[in-house]
Amino acid sequence: MREYPECKRALFCTDFSENADYAFHFAYGIAKRDDGLLYILHVIPPCPHQRYDYISQEDLERIQKAKVKPDISPLMFSWLGF
């Protein structure tokens, strides 16, 4: 049996295509095998007519002090039917 390096953190980038669905199952399997975390990233290109609001330094520091991590697991897996 081949030895694989342990993967405690995996990044899965998606465009929500059919191929990305297949890749998700592969990435999910690696994270599950090694009891690791699976990060999901979807980047949306900027729209020329969209207004961008950025978080202020004060709000960022307030959020960091609160040390609250939102539970997004129901959101992550709902689109995949898990």
Side-chain angles (χ1 to χ4, degrees):
M1 182 173 186
R2 185 173 179 173
E3 291 288 324
Y4 293 96
E6 189 172 306
C7 183
K8 287 296 183 182
R9 286 177 266 166
L11 175 62
F12 168 68
C13 304
T14 183
D15 60 359
F16 298 106
S17 66
E18 185 176 345
N19 286 335
D21 288 344
Y22 295 121
F24 170 79
H25 291 288
F26 184 77
Y28 178 75
I30 291 172
K32 187 174 181 179
R33 176 194 72 199
D34 296 333
D35 196 28
L37 293 172
L38 179 60
Y39 296 94
I40 299 175
L41 174 68
H42 176 66
V43 177
I44 301 170
C47 178
H49 304 293
Q50 186 174 0
R51 179 177 168 235
Y52 294 97
D53 291 323
Y54 295 96
I55 191 166
S56 69
Q57 184 65 31
E58 181 181 293
D59 287 339
L60 177 62
E61 289 170 1
R62 182 177 51 80
I63 292 168
Q64 288 173 333
K65 285 180 184 176
K67 294 184 181 178
V68 175
K69 292 186 178 181
D71 181 16
I72 61 170
S73 56
L75 301 173
M76 292 191 315
F77 297 110
S78 63
W79 65 274
L80 291 167
F82 288 101

